[in-house]
Short mmCIF file of all heavy atoms in Angstrom, two decimals:
data_model
loop_
_atom_site.label_atom_id
_atom_site.label_comp_id
_atom_site.label_asym_id
_atom_site.label_seq_id
_atom_site.Cartn_x
_atom_site.Cartn_y
_atom_site.Cartn_z
N MET A 1 -18.11 -94.94 -35.27
CA MET A 1 -17.06 -95.94 -35.36
C MET A 1 -17.56 -97.20 -34.66
O MET A 1 -17.96 -97.17 -33.52
CB MET A 1 -15.80 -95.39 -34.69
CG MET A 1 -14.62 -96.29 -34.81
SD MET A 1 -13.15 -95.51 -34.11
CE MET A 1 -12.22 -95.30 -35.59
N LYS A 2 -17.54 -98.32 -35.37
CA LYS A 2 -17.98 -99.55 -34.74
C LYS A 2 -16.79 -100.30 -34.14
O LYS A 2 -15.66 -99.89 -34.29
CB LYS A 2 -18.67 -100.50 -35.71
CG LYS A 2 -18.77 -100.12 -37.11
CD LYS A 2 -19.52 -101.13 -37.89
CE LYS A 2 -18.57 -101.73 -38.89
NZ LYS A 2 -19.13 -102.60 -39.82
N GLY A 3 -17.09 -101.36 -33.50
CA GLY A 3 -16.04 -102.15 -32.86
C GLY A 3 -15.62 -101.55 -31.53
O GLY A 3 -16.34 -100.74 -30.94
N ARG A 4 -14.46 -101.92 -31.10
CA ARG A 4 -13.93 -101.43 -29.83
C ARG A 4 -12.50 -100.92 -30.06
O ARG A 4 -11.53 -101.65 -29.85
CB ARG A 4 -13.94 -102.56 -28.81
CG ARG A 4 -15.33 -103.01 -28.46
CD ARG A 4 -15.30 -104.11 -27.44
NE ARG A 4 -16.63 -104.38 -26.94
CZ ARG A 4 -17.45 -105.28 -27.46
NH1 ARG A 4 -17.07 -105.99 -28.48
NH2 ARG A 4 -18.64 -105.47 -26.94
N PRO A 5 -12.35 -99.65 -30.48
CA PRO A 5 -11.01 -99.15 -30.84
C PRO A 5 -10.05 -99.05 -29.66
O PRO A 5 -8.85 -99.23 -29.84
CB PRO A 5 -11.29 -97.77 -31.45
CG PRO A 5 -12.64 -97.39 -30.96
CD PRO A 5 -13.39 -98.66 -30.74
N VAL A 6 -10.56 -98.78 -28.46
CA VAL A 6 -9.66 -98.69 -27.31
C VAL A 6 -9.08 -100.07 -26.98
O VAL A 6 -7.89 -100.21 -26.71
CB VAL A 6 -10.39 -98.08 -26.09
CG1 VAL A 6 -9.52 -98.12 -24.86
CG2 VAL A 6 -10.83 -96.66 -26.40
N LEU A 7 -9.94 -101.08 -27.00
CA LEU A 7 -9.47 -102.44 -26.77
C LEU A 7 -8.47 -102.87 -27.84
O LEU A 7 -7.46 -103.49 -27.55
CB LEU A 7 -10.66 -103.41 -26.73
CG LEU A 7 -10.33 -104.87 -26.50
CD1 LEU A 7 -9.69 -105.07 -25.13
CD2 LEU A 7 -11.58 -105.71 -26.63
N GLY A 8 -8.74 -102.50 -29.09
CA GLY A 8 -7.81 -102.82 -30.18
C GLY A 8 -6.48 -102.12 -30.01
O GLY A 8 -5.42 -102.70 -30.26
N ALA A 9 -6.51 -100.86 -29.56
CA ALA A 9 -5.27 -100.11 -29.36
C ALA A 9 -4.44 -100.71 -28.23
O ALA A 9 -3.23 -100.90 -28.38
CB ALA A 9 -5.59 -98.65 -29.06
N VAL A 10 -5.07 -101.03 -27.12
CA VAL A 10 -4.35 -101.60 -25.98
C VAL A 10 -3.80 -102.97 -26.34
O VAL A 10 -2.63 -103.29 -26.06
CB VAL A 10 -5.26 -101.66 -24.74
CG1 VAL A 10 -4.62 -102.45 -23.62
CG2 VAL A 10 -5.60 -100.26 -24.27
N SER A 11 -4.62 -103.79 -26.98
CA SER A 11 -4.17 -105.14 -27.36
C SER A 11 -3.03 -105.07 -28.37
O SER A 11 -2.05 -105.82 -28.27
CB SER A 11 -5.33 -105.92 -27.97
OG SER A 11 -6.37 -106.06 -27.05
N GLY A 12 -3.15 -104.19 -29.35
CA GLY A 12 -2.08 -104.04 -30.34
C GLY A 12 -0.79 -103.55 -29.73
O GLY A 12 0.30 -104.01 -30.08
N PHE A 13 -0.89 -102.61 -28.79
CA PHE A 13 0.31 -102.08 -28.14
C PHE A 13 1.04 -103.18 -27.35
O PHE A 13 2.25 -103.34 -27.48
CB PHE A 13 -0.07 -100.92 -27.22
CG PHE A 13 1.09 -100.30 -26.53
CD1 PHE A 13 1.96 -99.50 -27.24
CD2 PHE A 13 1.31 -100.50 -25.18
CE1 PHE A 13 3.06 -98.91 -26.60
CE2 PHE A 13 2.39 -99.92 -24.55
CZ PHE A 13 3.26 -99.12 -25.26
N PHE A 14 0.28 -103.94 -26.56
CA PHE A 14 0.91 -104.99 -25.78
C PHE A 14 1.43 -106.12 -26.66
O PHE A 14 2.47 -106.72 -26.36
CB PHE A 14 -0.03 -105.52 -24.70
CG PHE A 14 -0.14 -104.60 -23.52
CD1 PHE A 14 -1.34 -104.04 -23.17
CD2 PHE A 14 0.98 -104.28 -22.77
CE1 PHE A 14 -1.44 -103.19 -22.08
CE2 PHE A 14 0.90 -103.42 -21.69
CZ PHE A 14 -0.31 -102.87 -21.34
N PHE A 15 0.75 -106.42 -27.76
CA PHE A 15 1.26 -107.42 -28.69
C PHE A 15 2.56 -106.94 -29.32
O PHE A 15 3.49 -107.73 -29.52
CB PHE A 15 0.23 -107.73 -29.77
CG PHE A 15 0.72 -108.74 -30.76
CD1 PHE A 15 0.83 -110.08 -30.40
CD2 PHE A 15 1.08 -108.37 -32.03
CE1 PHE A 15 1.29 -111.02 -31.31
CE2 PHE A 15 1.55 -109.29 -32.94
CZ PHE A 15 1.65 -110.63 -32.57
N GLY A 16 2.66 -105.65 -29.64
CA GLY A 16 3.89 -105.11 -30.21
C GLY A 16 5.06 -105.20 -29.23
O GLY A 16 6.18 -105.52 -29.61
N ILE A 17 4.80 -104.91 -27.96
CA ILE A 17 5.85 -105.04 -26.94
C ILE A 17 6.28 -106.49 -26.80
O ILE A 17 7.47 -106.80 -26.75
CB ILE A 17 5.37 -104.47 -25.59
CG1 ILE A 17 5.26 -102.96 -25.67
CG2 ILE A 17 6.31 -104.86 -24.46
CD1 ILE A 17 4.66 -102.32 -24.44
N PHE A 18 5.29 -107.40 -26.74
CA PHE A 18 5.59 -108.82 -26.62
C PHE A 18 6.40 -109.31 -27.82
O PHE A 18 7.39 -110.03 -27.66
CB PHE A 18 4.29 -109.61 -26.50
CG PHE A 18 4.47 -111.09 -26.54
CD1 PHE A 18 4.98 -111.77 -25.45
CD2 PHE A 18 4.15 -111.81 -27.68
CE1 PHE A 18 5.16 -113.14 -25.48
CE2 PHE A 18 4.32 -113.18 -27.72
CZ PHE A 18 4.83 -113.85 -26.63
N LEU A 19 6.01 -108.90 -29.02
CA LEU A 19 6.72 -109.33 -30.23
C LEU A 19 8.14 -108.78 -30.25
O LEU A 19 9.09 -109.50 -30.60
CB LEU A 19 5.95 -108.87 -31.47
CG LEU A 19 6.52 -109.32 -32.80
CD1 LEU A 19 6.44 -110.83 -32.91
CD2 LEU A 19 5.79 -108.65 -33.93
N ALA A 20 8.33 -107.52 -29.85
CA ALA A 20 9.67 -106.93 -29.82
C ALA A 20 10.56 -107.68 -28.83
O ALA A 20 11.73 -107.98 -29.13
CB ALA A 20 9.58 -105.46 -29.45
N LEU A 21 10.03 -108.00 -27.66
CA LEU A 21 10.83 -108.73 -26.67
C LEU A 21 11.15 -110.15 -27.13
O LEU A 21 12.26 -110.64 -26.93
CB LEU A 21 10.10 -108.76 -25.33
CG LEU A 21 10.07 -107.44 -24.57
CD1 LEU A 21 9.22 -107.57 -23.32
CD2 LEU A 21 11.47 -107.00 -24.22
N CYS A 22 10.19 -110.80 -27.75
CA CYS A 22 10.44 -112.17 -28.25
C CYS A 22 11.49 -112.16 -29.35
O CYS A 22 12.38 -113.02 -29.37
CB CYS A 22 9.15 -112.79 -28.76
SG CYS A 22 8.07 -113.34 -27.44
N LEU A 23 11.39 -111.21 -30.27
CA LEU A 23 12.38 -111.14 -31.35
C LEU A 23 13.78 -110.88 -30.79
O LEU A 23 14.77 -111.42 -31.29
CB LEU A 23 12.00 -110.06 -32.35
CG LEU A 23 10.80 -110.36 -33.24
CD1 LEU A 23 10.46 -109.12 -34.07
CD2 LEU A 23 11.05 -111.54 -34.13
N PHE A 24 13.86 -110.06 -29.75
CA PHE A 24 15.16 -109.78 -29.14
C PHE A 24 15.69 -110.99 -28.38
O PHE A 24 16.85 -111.36 -28.52
CB PHE A 24 15.04 -108.58 -28.20
CG PHE A 24 16.25 -108.38 -27.33
CD1 PHE A 24 17.45 -108.02 -27.88
CD2 PHE A 24 16.17 -108.59 -25.96
CE1 PHE A 24 18.57 -107.84 -27.07
CE2 PHE A 24 17.27 -108.42 -25.15
CZ PHE A 24 18.48 -108.04 -25.71
N LEU A 25 14.84 -111.61 -27.57
CA LEU A 25 15.30 -112.72 -26.74
C LEU A 25 15.67 -113.96 -27.56
O LEU A 25 16.54 -114.73 -27.16
CB LEU A 25 14.24 -113.07 -25.70
CG LEU A 25 14.03 -112.02 -24.61
CD1 LEU A 25 12.88 -112.41 -23.70
CD2 LEU A 25 15.30 -111.83 -23.80
N TRP A 26 15.01 -114.17 -28.69
CA TRP A 26 15.33 -115.31 -29.54
C TRP A 26 16.48 -115.01 -30.49
O TRP A 26 16.89 -115.89 -31.25
CB TRP A 26 14.12 -115.74 -30.34
CG TRP A 26 13.05 -116.36 -29.49
CD1 TRP A 26 13.19 -116.94 -28.26
CD2 TRP A 26 11.66 -116.44 -29.79
NE1 TRP A 26 11.99 -117.37 -27.79
CE2 TRP A 26 11.02 -117.08 -28.72
CE3 TRP A 26 10.90 -116.04 -30.87
CZ2 TRP A 26 9.66 -117.33 -28.70
CZ3 TRP A 26 9.54 -116.28 -30.84
CH2 TRP A 26 8.94 -116.93 -29.77
N GLY A 27 17.00 -113.79 -30.45
CA GLY A 27 18.16 -113.44 -31.26
C GLY A 27 17.84 -113.22 -32.72
O GLY A 27 18.73 -113.30 -33.57
N ILE A 28 16.60 -112.93 -33.05
CA ILE A 28 16.21 -112.73 -34.46
C ILE A 28 16.42 -111.28 -34.87
O ILE A 28 16.85 -111.00 -35.99
CB ILE A 28 14.74 -113.14 -34.66
CG1 ILE A 28 14.58 -114.62 -34.35
CG2 ILE A 28 14.25 -112.81 -36.05
CD1 ILE A 28 13.16 -115.10 -34.32
N TRP A 29 16.14 -110.34 -33.98
CA TRP A 29 16.21 -108.92 -34.28
C TRP A 29 16.92 -108.22 -33.12
O TRP A 29 16.60 -108.46 -31.97
CB TRP A 29 14.78 -108.39 -34.42
CG TRP A 29 14.67 -107.03 -35.00
CD1 TRP A 29 14.82 -105.86 -34.34
CD2 TRP A 29 14.37 -106.69 -36.35
NE1 TRP A 29 14.61 -104.82 -35.19
CE2 TRP A 29 14.35 -105.29 -36.43
CE3 TRP A 29 14.12 -107.42 -37.49
CZ2 TRP A 29 14.08 -104.63 -37.61
CZ3 TRP A 29 13.86 -106.75 -38.66
CH2 TRP A 29 13.84 -105.39 -38.72
N PRO A 30 17.89 -107.34 -33.40
CA PRO A 30 18.57 -106.65 -32.29
C PRO A 30 17.64 -105.65 -31.61
O PRO A 30 16.70 -105.13 -32.20
CB PRO A 30 19.72 -105.93 -32.99
CG PRO A 30 19.27 -105.75 -34.39
CD PRO A 30 18.41 -106.94 -34.70
N LEU A 31 17.92 -105.39 -30.37
CA LEU A 31 17.11 -104.44 -29.59
C LEU A 31 17.61 -103.03 -29.91
O LEU A 31 18.64 -102.58 -29.41
CB LEU A 31 17.25 -104.73 -28.10
CG LEU A 31 16.28 -104.00 -27.18
CD1 LEU A 31 14.86 -104.41 -27.50
CD2 LEU A 31 16.59 -104.31 -25.73
N ASP A 32 16.88 -102.35 -30.78
CA ASP A 32 17.24 -101.00 -31.14
C ASP A 32 16.00 -100.11 -31.05
O ASP A 32 14.95 -100.53 -30.58
CB ASP A 32 17.86 -100.94 -32.54
CG ASP A 32 16.97 -101.52 -33.61
OD1 ASP A 32 15.89 -102.03 -33.27
OD2 ASP A 32 17.35 -101.46 -34.79
N ARG A 33 16.13 -98.89 -31.50
CA ARG A 33 15.04 -97.92 -31.37
C ARG A 33 13.80 -98.36 -32.16
O ARG A 33 12.68 -98.17 -31.72
CB ARG A 33 15.51 -96.57 -31.87
CG ARG A 33 14.61 -95.44 -31.47
CD ARG A 33 15.23 -94.11 -31.82
NE ARG A 33 16.38 -93.83 -31.00
CZ ARG A 33 16.37 -93.00 -29.96
NH1 ARG A 33 15.27 -92.39 -29.65
NH2 ARG A 33 17.45 -92.79 -29.26
N LEU A 34 14.00 -98.96 -33.33
CA LEU A 34 12.86 -99.42 -34.13
C LEU A 34 12.10 -100.53 -33.41
O LEU A 34 10.87 -100.53 -33.38
CB LEU A 34 13.35 -99.93 -35.49
CG LEU A 34 12.29 -100.60 -36.36
CD1 LEU A 34 11.26 -99.57 -36.80
CD2 LEU A 34 12.92 -101.28 -37.54
N THR A 35 12.82 -101.44 -32.80
CA THR A 35 12.17 -102.55 -32.11
C THR A 35 11.43 -102.07 -30.87
O THR A 35 10.31 -102.50 -30.62
CB THR A 35 13.22 -103.59 -31.69
OG1 THR A 35 13.99 -103.96 -32.83
CG2 THR A 35 12.58 -104.82 -31.13
N VAL A 36 12.04 -101.20 -30.11
CA VAL A 36 11.44 -100.76 -28.84
C VAL A 36 10.23 -99.85 -29.06
O VAL A 36 9.21 -100.00 -28.39
CB VAL A 36 12.49 -100.05 -27.97
CG1 VAL A 36 11.86 -99.45 -26.74
CG2 VAL A 36 13.58 -101.03 -27.58
N PHE A 37 10.32 -98.93 -30.01
CA PHE A 37 9.24 -97.96 -30.21
C PHE A 37 8.41 -98.25 -31.46
O PHE A 37 7.21 -98.00 -31.46
CB PHE A 37 9.81 -96.54 -30.31
CG PHE A 37 10.49 -96.08 -29.07
CD1 PHE A 37 11.85 -95.85 -29.04
CD2 PHE A 37 9.76 -95.89 -27.91
CE1 PHE A 37 12.48 -95.43 -27.89
CE2 PHE A 37 10.38 -95.47 -26.75
CZ PHE A 37 11.74 -95.24 -26.74
N GLY A 38 9.04 -98.74 -32.50
CA GLY A 38 8.36 -98.91 -33.77
C GLY A 38 7.31 -100.01 -33.78
O GLY A 38 6.18 -99.79 -34.23
N LEU A 39 7.65 -101.19 -33.29
CA LEU A 39 6.70 -102.29 -33.32
C LEU A 39 5.47 -102.06 -32.45
O LEU A 39 4.35 -102.29 -32.91
CB LEU A 39 7.40 -103.60 -32.94
CG LEU A 39 8.26 -104.23 -34.02
CD1 LEU A 39 8.94 -105.48 -33.49
CD2 LEU A 39 7.46 -104.55 -35.24
N PRO A 40 5.62 -101.58 -31.20
CA PRO A 40 4.40 -101.31 -30.42
C PRO A 40 3.50 -100.24 -31.06
O PRO A 40 2.28 -100.38 -31.08
CB PRO A 40 4.92 -100.85 -29.07
CG PRO A 40 6.25 -101.49 -28.95
CD PRO A 40 6.80 -101.48 -30.34
N ILE A 41 4.09 -99.19 -31.61
CA ILE A 41 3.28 -98.15 -32.24
C ILE A 41 2.64 -98.67 -33.52
O ILE A 41 1.47 -98.37 -33.80
CB ILE A 41 4.14 -96.90 -32.50
CG1 ILE A 41 4.52 -96.26 -31.17
CG2 ILE A 41 3.41 -95.90 -33.39
CD1 ILE A 41 5.50 -95.13 -31.27
N LEU A 42 3.37 -99.47 -34.29
CA LEU A 42 2.81 -100.05 -35.51
C LEU A 42 1.62 -100.95 -35.18
O LEU A 42 0.56 -100.85 -35.82
CB LEU A 42 3.89 -100.86 -36.24
CG LEU A 42 3.42 -101.63 -37.47
CD1 LEU A 42 3.07 -100.67 -38.59
CD2 LEU A 42 4.47 -102.62 -37.89
N PHE A 43 1.76 -101.81 -34.18
CA PHE A 43 0.66 -102.70 -33.83
C PHE A 43 -0.46 -101.97 -33.11
O PHE A 43 -1.60 -102.41 -33.15
CB PHE A 43 1.17 -103.88 -33.02
CG PHE A 43 1.78 -104.95 -33.89
CD1 PHE A 43 3.15 -105.06 -34.01
CD2 PHE A 43 0.97 -105.81 -34.60
CE1 PHE A 43 3.71 -106.03 -34.83
CE2 PHE A 43 1.52 -106.78 -35.42
CZ PHE A 43 2.89 -106.89 -35.54
N LEU A 44 -0.17 -100.85 -32.47
CA LEU A 44 -1.23 -100.02 -31.91
C LEU A 44 -2.12 -99.49 -33.02
O LEU A 44 -3.35 -99.55 -32.94
CB LEU A 44 -0.61 -98.86 -31.12
CG LEU A 44 -1.59 -97.91 -30.44
CD1 LEU A 44 -1.15 -97.69 -29.01
CD2 LEU A 44 -1.64 -96.60 -31.16
N ILE A 45 -1.51 -99.01 -34.10
CA ILE A 45 -2.27 -98.51 -35.25
C ILE A 45 -3.03 -99.64 -35.93
O ILE A 45 -4.20 -99.47 -36.29
CB ILE A 45 -1.32 -97.78 -36.22
CG1 ILE A 45 -0.77 -96.52 -35.56
CG2 ILE A 45 -2.03 -97.43 -37.53
CD1 ILE A 45 0.37 -95.88 -36.30
N ILE A 46 -2.40 -100.79 -36.08
CA ILE A 46 -3.07 -101.94 -36.67
C ILE A 46 -4.24 -102.39 -35.80
O ILE A 46 -5.30 -102.76 -36.30
CB ILE A 46 -2.07 -103.09 -36.92
CG1 ILE A 46 -1.10 -102.70 -38.02
CG2 ILE A 46 -2.79 -104.39 -37.26
CD1 ILE A 46 0.05 -103.68 -38.21
N GLY A 47 -4.07 -102.33 -34.48
CA GLY A 47 -5.15 -102.70 -33.56
C GLY A 47 -6.33 -101.76 -33.66
O GLY A 47 -7.49 -102.19 -33.65
N ILE A 48 -6.08 -100.47 -33.77
CA ILE A 48 -7.17 -99.50 -33.91
C ILE A 48 -7.89 -99.72 -35.24
O ILE A 48 -9.12 -99.73 -35.30
CB ILE A 48 -6.63 -98.06 -33.81
CG1 ILE A 48 -6.15 -97.77 -32.40
CG2 ILE A 48 -7.71 -97.05 -34.21
CD1 ILE A 48 -5.42 -96.45 -32.26
N ALA A 49 -7.13 -99.91 -36.30
CA ALA A 49 -7.74 -100.13 -37.62
C ALA A 49 -8.55 -101.43 -37.64
O ALA A 49 -9.64 -101.48 -38.20
CB ALA A 49 -6.66 -100.16 -38.69
N GLY A 50 -8.02 -102.47 -37.03
CA GLY A 50 -8.74 -103.73 -36.98
C GLY A 50 -10.00 -103.65 -36.16
O GLY A 50 -11.04 -104.22 -36.52
N ALA A 51 -9.96 -102.91 -35.07
CA ALA A 51 -11.15 -102.76 -34.23
C ALA A 51 -12.19 -101.89 -34.91
O ALA A 51 -13.39 -102.11 -34.75
CB ALA A 51 -10.76 -102.15 -32.89
N ALA A 52 -11.77 -100.89 -35.66
CA ALA A 52 -12.72 -100.04 -36.37
C ALA A 52 -13.38 -100.81 -37.52
O ALA A 52 -14.54 -100.56 -37.85
CB ALA A 52 -12.02 -98.80 -36.90
N TRP A 53 -12.68 -101.74 -38.10
CA TRP A 53 -13.19 -102.51 -39.23
C TRP A 53 -14.00 -103.72 -38.77
O TRP A 53 -14.85 -104.22 -39.52
CB TRP A 53 -12.03 -102.98 -40.10
CG TRP A 53 -12.44 -103.83 -41.24
CD1 TRP A 53 -13.06 -103.43 -42.38
CD2 TRP A 53 -12.26 -105.24 -41.35
NE1 TRP A 53 -13.27 -104.51 -43.18
CE2 TRP A 53 -12.79 -105.63 -42.57
CE3 TRP A 53 -11.69 -106.20 -40.51
CZ2 TRP A 53 -12.77 -106.95 -42.98
CZ3 TRP A 53 -11.68 -107.50 -40.93
CH2 TRP A 53 -12.21 -107.87 -42.15
N ALA A 54 -13.79 -104.17 -37.55
CA ALA A 54 -14.42 -105.40 -37.06
C ALA A 54 -15.94 -105.29 -37.05
O ALA A 54 -16.49 -104.25 -36.71
CB ALA A 54 -13.93 -105.71 -35.64
N PRO A 55 -16.62 -106.37 -37.40
CA PRO A 55 -18.08 -106.33 -37.44
C PRO A 55 -18.72 -106.45 -36.06
O PRO A 55 -19.92 -106.29 -35.94
CB PRO A 55 -18.44 -107.53 -38.31
CG PRO A 55 -17.30 -108.47 -38.13
CD PRO A 55 -16.09 -107.60 -37.94
N ILE A 56 -17.93 -106.77 -35.01
CA ILE A 56 -18.52 -106.90 -33.68
C ILE A 56 -18.59 -105.54 -33.01
O ILE A 56 -17.90 -104.61 -33.38
CB ILE A 56 -17.71 -107.88 -32.81
CG1 ILE A 56 -16.27 -107.42 -32.67
CG2 ILE A 56 -17.78 -109.27 -33.38
CD1 ILE A 56 -15.46 -108.24 -31.71
N GLY A 57 -19.42 -105.43 -32.02
CA GLY A 57 -19.55 -104.17 -31.29
C GLY A 57 -21.01 -103.83 -31.10
O GLY A 57 -21.86 -104.69 -31.05
N ARG A 58 -21.29 -102.56 -31.03
CA ARG A 58 -22.65 -102.11 -30.84
C ARG A 58 -23.47 -102.42 -32.08
O ARG A 58 -23.05 -102.16 -33.20
CB ARG A 58 -22.68 -100.63 -30.56
CG ARG A 58 -22.02 -100.27 -29.28
CD ARG A 58 -22.15 -98.79 -29.03
NE ARG A 58 -21.43 -98.46 -27.81
CZ ARG A 58 -20.86 -97.30 -27.59
NH1 ARG A 58 -20.92 -96.37 -28.48
NH2 ARG A 58 -20.23 -97.09 -26.47
N SER A 59 -24.64 -102.92 -31.86
CA SER A 59 -25.53 -103.20 -32.98
C SER A 59 -26.38 -101.98 -33.28
O SER A 59 -26.53 -101.09 -32.45
CB SER A 59 -26.41 -104.41 -32.68
OG SER A 59 -27.20 -104.13 -31.55
N LYS A 60 -26.94 -101.96 -34.45
CA LYS A 60 -27.81 -100.86 -34.82
C LYS A 60 -29.10 -100.92 -34.02
O LYS A 60 -29.54 -101.98 -33.61
CB LYS A 60 -28.11 -100.92 -36.31
CG LYS A 60 -26.88 -100.71 -37.16
CD LYS A 60 -27.23 -100.78 -38.62
CE LYS A 60 -25.96 -100.59 -39.45
NZ LYS A 60 -26.20 -100.72 -40.87
N ALA A 61 -29.70 -99.80 -33.81
CA ALA A 61 -30.95 -99.76 -33.04
C ALA A 61 -32.04 -100.50 -33.80
O ALA A 61 -32.17 -100.39 -35.01
CB ALA A 61 -31.36 -98.32 -32.81
N THR A 62 -32.82 -101.28 -33.06
CA THR A 62 -33.89 -102.04 -33.71
C THR A 62 -35.21 -101.33 -33.61
O THR A 62 -35.47 -100.54 -32.77
CB THR A 62 -34.00 -103.43 -33.07
OG1 THR A 62 -34.22 -103.27 -31.67
CG2 THR A 62 -32.75 -104.21 -33.32
#
């Protein structure tokens, strides 16, 4: 697996929490179970997938 999946997972999780709080505080989306648990888990998965697909990371042995 290339890239940095742990960094992608942590970044996606915190972005999901930040997005859920912003949507709640700006009055766009009510604070419910989907917002609190769904968005961080969704962005955690997106972060892992993005990090696995990313071209950066360990290079091939020369």
Side-chain angles (χ1 to χ4, degrees):
M1 184 175 247
K2 3 182 244 187
R4 295 181 170 92
V6 174
L7 180 62
V10 171
S11 299
F13 181 74
F14 283 119
F15 180 72
I17 290 174
F18 173 75
L19 184 65
L21 288 175
C22 284
L23 289 174
F24 169 68
L25 291 175
W26 291 337
I28 298 172
W29 192 278
L31 191 63
D32 57 357
R33 195 172 291 258
L34 173 67
T35 307
V36 173
F37 297 113
L39 283 177
I41 292 173
L42 175 70
F43 279 102
L44 181 132
I45 294 169
I46 291 172
I48 292 171
W53 177 74
I56 59 174
R58 295 183 183 150
S59 61
K60 295 180 181 177
T62 57

